[in-house]
Amino acid sequence: MFSYRHAFHAGNHADVLKHITLVATLRHLMRKDAPLTLIDTHAGAGIYRLDGGAAQTSGEALAGIARLQAIDAADPATAPALADYLRLIASFNAGGAAVARVYPGSPLLMHALMSEPARPPVHDRLRLFELHPTDAQALEAHVAQLNAGRQVGVARQDGFEALKALLPPPASAGGSRRALVLIDPSYEIKSDYARVAAALQDSLKRFATGVYLIWYPIIPRPEAHALPRRLKTLANQAGRGWLHATLSIGAAPLAAGSAASARATGQPVPRPGLLASGMFVVNPPHRLDTGLQEALPQVLHALGRERGRGFTVEASG
Ligand code: SAM
């Protein structure tokens, strides 16, 4: 427990898929004036430096968001969901830096959307949970800088447990209840897969009309393989619509013979790292599938790997 630090992975291909989906979903929900409760059960540190430390060590952002910055968000050929995401990332990197120096995590992306001038002056609430002591401390410090008062709350609590007390969300003055929940564990412990499914099942009982976004890694592990099937079954049993999107970047071309020469010299064989991930959305907004179908080919093209790359977008009928 607690060996995972998102700082090594911030801005990688998995964050790109997750955050394009999150931003497009939230953008749609914010077209309505009624207030929203936003919940991030596994929030991370909130924002990450890309120009040093963990990000430079891993190189994941360089192979992720840095490559997308060749795309012109103002070009009408750029898919709207991708352009919107890129503009948001750029807004955290004022000063015209060609390459992002910081990467906002889900808490700051959600806060940025709820505090945009175009958002009607309604009282959205953001509730963030993070267990890692160092990341929780960093998150608290980043949230304090937002001066958002009680609109944004941070707790060093188990996000799965905390979620139960937040659903259903409070009714607005107009009587509506609306919530978006991001469930984004590190899957560092095997039980996270079962906890994700249990959290969705319980949440749908408490608040069937909530919008639930779940990220998961696509790795050769039975629990990871079974998770999207389980989530589809849960959504179907509750009679709710769903969307399932995956992004696989494919293997990076290895320098000729590098694996063989590593083996021959007794050096560790280079490991490819995470190559694919998925997002599962329950109660997805109208046309999120079309938005992702337009955006993901452009993302893949910019990421530029070859062998095995691809995406899927599947939605319930
Ligand atoms: N949602 C963040 C984003 O998109 O920017 C990234 C979150 S990262 C993938 C997962 C985080 O969950 C890690 O920072 C980890 O310390 C934290 N974590 C792990 N188990 C947790 C739990 N049960 N409750 C809350 N946080 C947890």
Side-chain angles (χ1 to χ4, degrees):
M1 183 72 178
F2 288 150
S3 62
Y4 181 93
R5 305 294 308 281
H6 196 65
F8 289 92
H9 312 289
N12 70 0
H13 61 89
D15 262 9
V16 170
L17 170 68
K18 182 201 315 172
H19 294 152
I20 290 177
T21 309
L22 172 66
V23 169
T25 302
L26 204 41
R27 200 53 102 185
H28 182 94
L29 294 178
M30 287 191 165
R31 286 201 203 129
K32 281 199 187 149
D33 289 3
L36 272 163
T37 296
L38 307 178
I39 302 166
D40 195 344
T41 58
H42 297 71
I47 191 161
Y48 306 89
R49 293 216 66 91
L50 298 184
D51 56 1
Q56 289 287 321
T57 307
S58 72
E60 291 193 23
L62 273 179
I65 184 65
R67 293 196 178 193
L68 293 188
Q69 287 175 302
I71 298 173
D72 181 0
D75 183 339
T78 303
L82 176 56
D84 193 17
Y85 162 75
L86 290 173
R87 273 193 294 264
L88 257 184
I89 303 300
S91 72
F92 285 86
N93 286 279
V99 175
R101 283 192 295 261
V102 297
Y103 187 82
S106 47
L108 267 72
L109 287 172
M110 291 199 249
H111 177 262
L113 288 192
M114 67 190 246
S115 48
E116 274 189 349
R119 174 81 178 131
V122 293
H123 197 80
D124 297 323
R125 304 183 317 149
L126 176 58
R127 295 292 172 259
L128 307 167
F129 301 95
E130 172 55 50
L131 268 187
H132 194 292
T134 313
D135 283 350
Q137 196 177 18
L139 181 64
E140 284 158 1
H142 292 136
V143 166
Q145 284 178 9
L146 300 174
N147 287 320
R150 292 156 63 105
Q151 246 183 311
V152 183
V154 182
R156 297 185 189 198
Q157 245 180 294
D158 180 312
F160 292 119
E161 281 302 315
L163 182 56
K164 295 178 186 168
L166 292 176
L167 297 177
S172 68
S176 75
R177 295 180 196 271
R178 302 204 305 149
L180 174 148
V181 180
L182 174 64
I183 304 179
D184 180 26
S186 43
Y187 298 93
E188 181 180 10
I189 34 179
K190 203 165 72 172
S191 57
D192 272 353
Y193 295 93
R195 293 192 82 193
V196 164
L200 179 64
Q201 186 169 29
D202 180 70
S203 299
L204 284 170
K205 280 189 198 136
R206 291 171 193 272
F207 188 51
T209 56
V211 176
Y212 301 94
L213 293 93
I214 294 164
W215 178 88
Y216 72 95
I218 298 179
I219 50 175
R221 177 167 207 160
E223 296 82 8
H225 196 65
L227 185 62
R229 275 205 310 263
R230 177 92 185 104
L231 299 177
K232 279 179 204 171
T233 303
L234 290 173
N236 288 337
Q237 282 169 347
R240 312 310 307 179
W242 51 263
L243 176 148
H244 179 214
T246 66
L247 183 73
S248 311
I249 56 166
L254 277 182
S258 64
S261 72
R263 269 188 222 102
T265 56
Q267 300 296 312
V269 176
R271 290 181 51 159
L274 181 69
L275 296 179
S277 69
M279 276 296 274
F280 193 84
V281 185
V282 180
N283 295 319
H286 182 55
R287 290 179 58 77
L288 178 62
D289 52 349
T290 316
L292 292 178
Q293 267 153 2
E294 291 165 356
L296 295 182
Q298 297 185 355
V299 169
L300 275 181
H301 182 74
L303 293 181
R305 304 253 188 124
E306 284 305 331
R307 235 165 2 105
R309 73 178 177 174
F311 73 94
T312 61
V313 179
E314 182 195 3
S316 56

Short mmCIF file of all heavy atoms in Angstrom, two decimals, residues 56-113:
data_model
loop_
_atom_site.label_atom_id
_atom_site.label_comp_id
_atom_site.label_asym_id
_atom_site.label_seq_id
_atom_site.Cartn_x
_atom_site.Cartn_y
_atom_site.Cartn_z
N GLN A 56 9.91 13.63 -14.96
CA GLN A 56 11.10 13.49 -15.82
C GLN A 56 11.70 12.10 -15.68
O GLN A 56 12.19 11.52 -16.64
CB GLN A 56 12.14 14.56 -15.45
CG GLN A 56 11.71 15.96 -15.86
CD GLN A 56 11.79 16.20 -17.36
OE1 GLN A 56 12.71 15.73 -18.00
NE2 GLN A 56 10.82 16.91 -17.92
N THR A 57 11.64 11.57 -14.46
CA THR A 57 12.18 10.23 -14.23
C THR A 57 11.43 9.20 -15.06
O THR A 57 12.02 8.32 -15.69
CB THR A 57 12.05 9.85 -12.73
OG1 THR A 57 12.65 10.89 -11.98
CG2 THR A 57 12.71 8.52 -12.41
N SER A 58 10.09 9.29 -15.05
CA SER A 58 9.30 8.26 -15.74
C SER A 58 9.21 8.51 -17.24
O SER A 58 9.08 7.58 -18.03
CB SER A 58 7.88 8.22 -15.16
OG SER A 58 7.16 9.36 -15.58
N GLY A 59 9.22 9.77 -17.65
CA GLY A 59 9.07 10.12 -19.07
C GLY A 59 7.67 9.86 -19.60
O GLY A 59 7.42 9.97 -20.80
N GLU A 60 6.70 9.57 -18.72
CA GLU A 60 5.36 9.21 -19.21
C GLU A 60 4.60 10.40 -19.80
O GLU A 60 3.89 10.25 -20.78
CB GLU A 60 4.55 8.56 -18.09
CG GLU A 60 5.08 7.19 -17.71
CD GLU A 60 4.12 6.40 -16.82
OE1 GLU A 60 2.91 6.66 -16.84
OE2 GLU A 60 4.62 5.50 -16.12
N ALA A 61 4.78 11.57 -19.21
CA ALA A 61 4.10 12.75 -19.76
C ALA A 61 4.70 13.13 -21.10
O ALA A 61 4.01 13.62 -22.01
CB ALA A 61 4.19 13.93 -18.79
N LEU A 62 6.01 12.90 -21.24
CA LEU A 62 6.67 13.21 -22.52
C LEU A 62 6.09 12.37 -23.65
O LEU A 62 5.97 12.82 -24.79
CB LEU A 62 8.17 12.90 -22.41
CG LEU A 62 9.05 14.00 -21.88
CD1 LEU A 62 10.49 13.53 -21.80
CD2 LEU A 62 8.93 15.25 -22.76
N ALA A 63 5.73 11.11 -23.31
CA ALA A 63 5.13 10.23 -24.31
C ALA A 63 3.62 10.40 -24.37
O ALA A 63 2.95 9.75 -25.17
CB ALA A 63 5.47 8.78 -23.97
N GLY A 64 3.07 11.30 -23.52
CA GLY A 64 1.62 11.49 -23.45
C GLY A 64 1.24 12.91 -23.83
O GLY A 64 1.30 13.29 -25.00
N ILE A 65 0.91 13.72 -22.83
CA ILE A 65 0.40 15.07 -23.10
C ILE A 65 1.38 15.90 -23.93
O ILE A 65 0.96 16.69 -24.78
CB ILE A 65 0.04 15.80 -21.76
CG1 ILE A 65 -0.58 17.17 -22.03
CG2 ILE A 65 1.24 15.92 -20.84
CD1 ILE A 65 -1.90 17.15 -22.73
N ALA A 66 2.68 15.70 -23.75
CA ALA A 66 3.65 16.52 -24.50
C ALA A 66 3.48 16.30 -26.00
O ALA A 66 3.60 17.24 -26.79
CB ALA A 66 5.07 16.18 -24.07
N ARG A 67 3.17 15.08 -26.40
CA ARG A 67 2.99 14.81 -27.84
C ARG A 67 1.70 15.41 -28.38
O ARG A 67 1.61 15.75 -29.56
CB ARG A 67 2.97 13.31 -28.09
CG ARG A 67 4.31 12.70 -27.80
CD ARG A 67 4.42 11.35 -28.40
NE ARG A 67 5.76 10.85 -28.12
CZ ARG A 67 6.29 9.81 -28.69
NH1 ARG A 67 5.60 9.15 -29.58
NH2 ARG A 67 7.50 9.43 -28.39
N LEU A 68 0.69 15.56 -27.52
CA LEU A 68 -0.58 16.12 -27.98
C LEU A 68 -0.47 17.61 -28.22
O LEU A 68 -1.33 18.21 -28.86
CB LEU A 68 -1.68 15.87 -26.95
CG LEU A 68 -2.10 14.42 -26.74
CD1 LEU A 68 -3.32 14.36 -25.84
CD2 LEU A 68 -2.43 13.75 -28.06
N GLN A 69 0.59 18.21 -27.68
CA GLN A 69 0.67 19.66 -27.80
C GLN A 69 1.07 20.12 -29.19
O GLN A 69 1.05 21.31 -29.48
CB GLN A 69 1.56 20.20 -26.70
CG GLN A 69 0.77 20.09 -25.41
CD GLN A 69 1.55 20.48 -24.20
OE1 GLN A 69 2.60 19.91 -23.90
NE2 GLN A 69 1.04 21.46 -23.50
N ALA A 70 1.35 19.16 -30.07
CA ALA A 70 1.55 19.52 -31.47
C ALA A 70 0.20 19.82 -32.13
O ALA A 70 0.14 20.39 -33.23
CB ALA A 70 2.23 18.36 -32.19
N ILE A 71 -0.89 19.45 -31.48
CA ILE A 71 -2.22 19.66 -32.06
C ILE A 71 -2.68 21.09 -31.78
O ILE A 71 -2.54 21.58 -30.66
CB ILE A 71 -3.23 18.66 -31.44
CG1 ILE A 71 -2.82 17.22 -31.77
CG2 ILE A 71 -4.65 18.93 -31.90
CD1 ILE A 71 -3.66 16.16 -31.07
N ASP A 72 -3.23 21.72 -32.80
CA ASP A 72 -3.74 23.08 -32.65
C ASP A 72 -5.20 23.03 -32.21
O ASP A 72 -6.07 22.62 -32.99
CB ASP A 72 -3.60 23.81 -34.00
CG ASP A 72 -4.09 25.25 -33.92
OD1 ASP A 72 -4.53 25.67 -32.84
OD2 ASP A 72 -4.04 25.93 -34.97
N ALA A 73 -5.44 23.45 -30.97
CA ALA A 73 -6.82 23.38 -30.45
C ALA A 73 -7.74 24.31 -31.23
O ALA A 73 -8.96 24.11 -31.26
CB ALA A 73 -6.83 23.73 -28.97
N ALA A 74 -7.17 25.33 -31.87
CA ALA A 74 -8.01 26.29 -32.59
C ALA A 74 -8.33 25.82 -34.00
O ALA A 74 -9.16 26.42 -34.69
CB ALA A 74 -7.29 27.64 -32.65
N ASP A 75 -7.67 24.77 -34.46
CA ASP A 75 -7.93 24.25 -35.81
C ASP A 75 -9.31 23.60 -35.84
O ASP A 75 -9.60 22.71 -35.03
CB ASP A 75 -6.84 23.20 -36.14
CG ASP A 75 -6.96 22.66 -37.55
OD1 ASP A 75 -8.05 22.76 -38.14
OD2 ASP A 75 -5.96 22.11 -38.04
N PRO A 76 -10.18 24.04 -36.76
CA PRO A 76 -11.54 23.46 -36.78
C PRO A 76 -11.53 21.94 -37.03
O PRO A 76 -12.52 21.27 -36.74
CB PRO A 76 -12.24 24.19 -37.94
CG PRO A 76 -11.30 25.21 -38.44
CD PRO A 76 -9.98 25.09 -37.75
N ALA A 77 -10.41 21.43 -37.55
CA ALA A 77 -10.34 19.98 -37.78
C ALA A 77 -10.10 19.20 -36.48
O ALA A 77 -10.25 17.97 -36.44
CB ALA A 77 -9.24 19.66 -38.78
N THR A 78 -9.70 19.90 -35.43
CA THR A 78 -9.46 19.21 -34.15
C THR A 78 -10.80 18.85 -33.52
O THR A 78 -11.70 19.70 -33.43
CB THR A 78 -8.63 20.10 -33.20
OG1 THR A 78 -7.41 20.44 -33.86
CG2 THR A 78 -8.31 19.39 -31.90
N ALA A 79 -10.92 17.61 -33.08
CA ALA A 79 -12.18 17.16 -32.48
C ALA A 79 -12.52 18.05 -31.28
O ALA A 79 -11.64 18.36 -30.47
CB ALA A 79 -12.03 15.71 -32.02
N PRO A 80 -13.78 18.47 -31.16
CA PRO A 80 -14.15 19.42 -30.10
C PRO A 80 -13.77 18.95 -28.69
O PRO A 80 -13.27 19.74 -27.89
CB PRO A 80 -15.67 19.55 -30.25
CG PRO A 80 -15.93 19.22 -31.69
CD PRO A 80 -14.91 18.21 -32.09
N ALA A 81 -13.96 17.67 -28.39
CA ALA A 81 -13.64 17.19 -27.02
C ALA A 81 -12.14 17.28 -26.75
O ALA A 81 -11.71 17.60 -25.65
CB ALA A 81 -14.13 15.76 -26.83
N LEU A 82 -11.35 17.00 -27.78
CA LEU A 82 -9.89 17.07 -27.63
C LEU A 82 -9.45 18.53 -27.52
O LEU A 82 -8.60 18.88 -26.67
CB LEU A 82 -9.22 16.39 -28.84
CG LEU A 82 -7.71 16.44 -28.91
CD1 LEU A 82 -7.06 15.87 -27.66
CD2 LEU A 82 -7.20 15.69 -30.16
N ALA A 83 -10.03 19.40 -28.35
CA ALA A 83 -9.67 20.81 -28.33
C ALA A 83 -10.00 21.42 -26.96
O ALA A 83 -9.20 22.17 -26.39
CB ALA A 83 -10.42 21.56 -29.44
N ASP A 84 -11.15 21.05 -26.43
CA ASP A 84 -11.57 21.59 -25.13
C ASP A 84 -10.57 21.17 -24.04
O ASP A 84 -10.13 21.98 -23.22
CB ASP A 84 -12.97 21.05 -24.82
CG ASP A 84 -13.63 21.78 -23.67
OD1 ASP A 84 -13.18 22.89 -23.33
OD2 ASP A 84 -14.60 21.24 -23.10
N TYR A 85 -10.21 19.90 -24.06
CA TYR A 85 -9.24 19.37 -23.08
C TYR A 85 -7.89 20.08 -23.20
O TYR A 85 -7.29 20.51 -22.21
CB TYR A 85 -9.12 17.86 -23.31
CG TYR A 85 -7.90 17.20 -22.72
CD1 TYR A 85 -7.80 16.94 -21.36
CD2 TYR A 85 -6.84 16.79 -23.55
CE1 TYR A 85 -6.68 16.30 -20.84
CE2 TYR A 85 -5.73 16.16 -23.04
CZ TYR A 85 -5.65 15.92 -21.67
OH TYR A 85 -4.54 15.30 -21.16
N LEU A 86 -7.42 20.24 -24.45
CA LEU A 86 -6.11 20.88 -24.65
C LEU A 86 -6.12 22.34 -24.19
O LEU A 86 -5.15 22.83 -23.62
CB LEU A 86 -5.70 20.78 -26.12
CG LEU A 86 -5.33 19.37 -26.61
CD1 LEU A 86 -5.10 19.36 -28.12
CD2 LEU A 86 -4.10 18.85 -25.87
N ARG A 87 -7.26 23.02 -24.44
CA ARG A 87 -7.35 24.42 -23.99
C ARG A 87 -7.30 24.50 -22.47
O ARG A 87 -6.68 25.39 -21.90
CB ARG A 87 -8.64 25.05 -24.52
CG ARG A 87 -8.49 25.66 -25.92
CD ARG A 87 -9.68 26.54 -26.28
NE ARG A 87 -10.87 25.74 -26.41
CZ ARG A 87 -11.34 25.27 -27.58
NH1 ARG A 87 -10.71 25.55 -28.70
NH2 ARG A 87 -12.44 24.55 -27.62
N LEU A 88 -7.94 23.55 -21.82
CA LEU A 88 -7.93 23.55 -20.35
C LEU A 88 -6.51 23.32 -19.81
O LEU A 88 -6.07 23.99 -18.88
CB LEU A 88 -8.82 22.42 -19.83
CG LEU A 88 -10.19 22.80 -19.28
CD1 LEU A 88 -10.88 21.56 -18.74
CD2 LEU A 88 -10.09 23.84 -18.19
N ILE A 89 -5.81 22.35 -20.42
CA ILE A 89 -4.43 22.09 -19.97
C ILE A 89 -3.58 23.36 -20.19
O ILE A 89 -2.79 23.75 -19.33
CB ILE A 89 -3.80 20.89 -20.73
CG1 ILE A 89 -4.65 19.62 -20.57
CG2 ILE A 89 -2.35 20.64 -20.28
CD1 ILE A 89 -4.86 19.14 -19.16
N ALA A 90 -3.79 24.00 -21.36
CA ALA A 90 -3.02 25.22 -21.67
C ALA A 90 -3.32 26.32 -20.66
O ALA A 90 -2.43 27.11 -20.30
CB ALA A 90 -3.34 25.68 -23.09
N SER A 91 -4.55 26.36 -20.15
CA SER A 91 -4.91 27.44 -19.21
C SER A 91 -4.12 27.32 -17.90
O SER A 91 -4.01 28.28 -17.15
CB SER A 91 -6.42 27.44 -18.94
OG SER A 91 -6.77 26.32 -18.15
N PHE A 92 -3.59 26.14 -17.61
CA PHE A 92 -2.76 25.96 -16.41
C PHE A 92 -1.29 26.27 -16.72
O PHE A 92 -0.45 26.21 -15.82
CB PHE A 92 -2.86 24.52 -15.91
CG PHE A 92 -4.16 24.22 -15.20
CD1 PHE A 92 -5.27 23.84 -15.93
CD2 PHE A 92 -4.26 24.35 -13.83
CE1 PHE A 92 -6.47 23.58 -15.28
CE2 PHE A 92 -5.46 24.09 -13.18
CZ PHE A 92 -6.57 23.71 -13.91
N ASN A 93 -1.01 26.53 -17.98
CA ASN A 93 0.38 26.75 -18.41
C ASN A 93 0.49 28.10 -19.10
O ASN A 93 0.95 28.19 -20.24
CB ASN A 93 0.82 25.62 -19.35
CG ASN A 93 1.06 24.33 -18.59
OD1 ASN A 93 2.11 24.13 -18.01
ND2 ASN A 93 0.06 23.46 -18.58
N ALA A 94 0.00 29.12 -18.42
CA ALA A 94 -0.01 30.45 -19.01
C ALA A 94 1.43 30.87 -19.34
O ALA A 94 2.38 30.35 -18.77
CB ALA A 94 -0.64 31.43 -18.03
N GLY A 95 1.56 31.78 -20.30
CA GLY A 95 2.89 32.26 -20.66
C GLY A 95 3.37 31.65 -21.95
O GLY A 95 4.52 31.82 -22.35
N GLY A 96 2.48 30.91 -22.60
CA GLY A 96 2.78 30.42 -23.95
C GLY A 96 3.83 29.33 -24.00
O GLY A 96 4.49 29.15 -25.03
N ALA A 97 4.03 28.59 -22.92
CA ALA A 97 5.01 27.50 -22.95
C ALA A 97 4.62 26.50 -24.03
O ALA A 97 3.47 26.10 -24.11
CB ALA A 97 5.06 26.81 -21.60
N ALA A 98 5.57 26.13 -24.88
CA ALA A 98 5.26 25.20 -25.96
C ALA A 98 4.94 23.82 -25.39
O ALA A 98 4.13 23.09 -25.92
CB ALA A 98 6.45 25.11 -26.92
N VAL A 99 5.60 23.49 -24.29
CA VAL A 99 5.37 22.20 -23.66
C VAL A 99 4.88 22.47 -22.24
O VAL A 99 5.41 23.33 -21.54
CB VAL A 99 6.68 21.38 -23.61
CG1 VAL A 99 6.48 20.08 -22.85
CG2 VAL A 99 7.16 21.10 -25.03
N ALA A 100 3.82 21.74 -21.86
CA ALA A 100 3.23 21.99 -20.55
C ALA A 100 4.27 21.77 -19.45
O ALA A 100 5.00 20.79 -19.45
CB ALA A 100 2.04 21.06 -20.34
N ARG A 101 4.31 22.71 -18.52
CA ARG A 101 5.21 22.55 -17.37
C ARG A 101 4.48 21.95 -16.18
O ARG A 101 5.09 21.40 -15.28
CB ARG A 101 5.81 23.91 -16.97
CG ARG A 101 6.92 24.35 -17.92
CD ARG A 101 7.67 25.53 -17.33
NE ARG A 101 6.81 26.70 -17.21
CZ ARG A 101 6.79 27.69 -18.08
NH1 ARG A 101 7.59 27.67 -19.13
NH2 ARG A 101 5.99 28.71 -17.92
N VAL A 102 3.15 22.15 -16.19
CA VAL A 102 2.37 21.50 -15.13
C VAL A 102 1.21 20.76 -15.77
O VAL A 102 0.76 21.10 -16.88
CB VAL A 102 1.82 22.51 -14.08
CG1 VAL A 102 2.94 23.20 -13.34
CG2 VAL A 102 0.86 23.50 -14.69
N TYR A 103 0.73 19.76 -15.05
CA TYR A 103 -0.42 19.00 -15.54
C TYR A 103 -1.47 18.94 -14.41
O TYR A 103 -1.17 18.45 -13.32
CB TYR A 103 -0.01 17.58 -15.95
CG TYR A 103 -1.17 16.85 -16.60
CD1 TYR A 103 -1.46 17.05 -17.94
CD2 TYR A 103 -1.99 16.01 -15.86
CE1 TYR A 103 -2.54 16.43 -18.54
CE2 TYR A 103 -3.07 15.39 -16.45
CZ TYR A 103 -3.34 15.60 -17.79
OH TYR A 103 -4.43 15.00 -18.38
N PRO A 104 -2.67 19.44 -14.69
CA PRO A 104 -3.70 19.42 -13.66
C PRO A 104 -4.31 18.02 -13.54
O PRO A 104 -4.65 17.40 -14.56
CB PRO A 104 -4.74 20.42 -14.19
CG PRO A 104 -4.57 20.39 -15.68
CD PRO A 104 -3.12 20.08 -15.94
N GLY A 105 -4.45 17.55 -12.32
CA GLY A 105 -5.15 16.28 -12.10
C GLY A 105 -6.66 16.52 -12.09
O GLY A 105 -7.14 17.65 -12.24
N SER A 106 -7.40 15.45 -11.86
CA SER A 106 -8.86 15.55 -11.91
C SER A 106 -9.43 16.60 -10.94
O SER A 106 -10.38 17.31 -11.33
CB SER A 106 -9.49 14.18 -11.66
OG SER A 106 -8.90 13.55 -10.54
N PRO A 107 -8.90 16.78 -9.72
CA PRO A 107 -9.50 17.78 -8.83
C PRO A 107 -9.44 19.19 -9.42
O PRO A 107 -10.42 19.93 -9.39
CB PRO A 107 -8.65 17.69 -7.56
CG PRO A 107 -8.04 16.34 -7.59
CD PRO A 107 -7.81 16.03 -9.03
N LEU A 108 -8.28 19.54 -9.98
CA LEU A 108 -8.16 20.91 -10.50
C LEU A 108 -8.89 21.09 -11.82
O LEU A 108 -9.37 22.18 -12.13
CB LEU A 108 -6.69 21.35 -10.57
CG LEU A 108 -6.32 22.08 -9.27
CD1 LEU A 108 -6.21 21.14 -8.10
CD2 LEU A 108 -5.11 22.95 -9.41
N LEU A 109 -8.99 20.02 -12.61
CA LEU A 109 -9.79 20.11 -13.84
C LEU A 109 -11.27 20.35 -13.48
O LEU A 109 -11.94 21.20 -14.07
CB LEU A 109 -9.65 18.83 -14.67
CG LEU A 109 -8.31 18.66 -15.38
CD1 LEU A 109 -8.20 17.26 -16.00
CD2 LEU A 109 -8.12 19.73 -16.47
N MET A 110 -11.75 19.60 -12.52
CA MET A 110 -13.16 19.77 -12.13
C MET A 110 -13.39 21.16 -11.55
O MET A 110 -14.38 21.81 -11.85
CB MET A 110 -13.56 18.68 -11.13
CG MET A 110 -13.63 17.32 -11.76
SD MET A 110 -14.61 16.17 -10.77
CE MET A 110 -13.35 15.08 -10.20
N HIS A 111 -12.45 21.60 -10.73
CA HIS A 111 -12.61 22.94 -10.14
C HIS A 111 -12.58 24.01 -11.23
O HIS A 111 -13.34 24.97 -11.19
CB HIS A 111 -11.52 23.22 -9.09
CG HIS A 111 -11.63 24.60 -8.54
ND1 HIS A 111 -10.86 25.65 -8.99
CD2 HIS A 111 -12.49 25.12 -7.64
CE1 HIS A 111 -11.22 26.75 -8.36
NE2 HIS A 111 -12.20 26.46 -7.53
N ALA A 112 -11.70 23.83 -12.23
CA ALA A 112 -11.60 24.84 -13.30
C ALA A 112 -12.95 24.96 -14.02
O ALA A 112 -13.41 26.06 -14.32
CB ALA A 112 -10.50 24.44 -14.29
N LEU A 113 -13.59 23.83 -14.29
CA LEU A 113 -14.87 23.90 -15.01
C LEU A 113 -15.97 24.50 -14.13
O LEU A 113 -16.81 25.26 -14.61
CB LEU A 113 -15.29 22.51 -15.49
CG LEU A 113 -14.48 21.93 -16.64
CD1 LEU A 113 -15.16 20.70 -17.21
CD2 LEU A 113 -14.28 22.93 -17.77
#
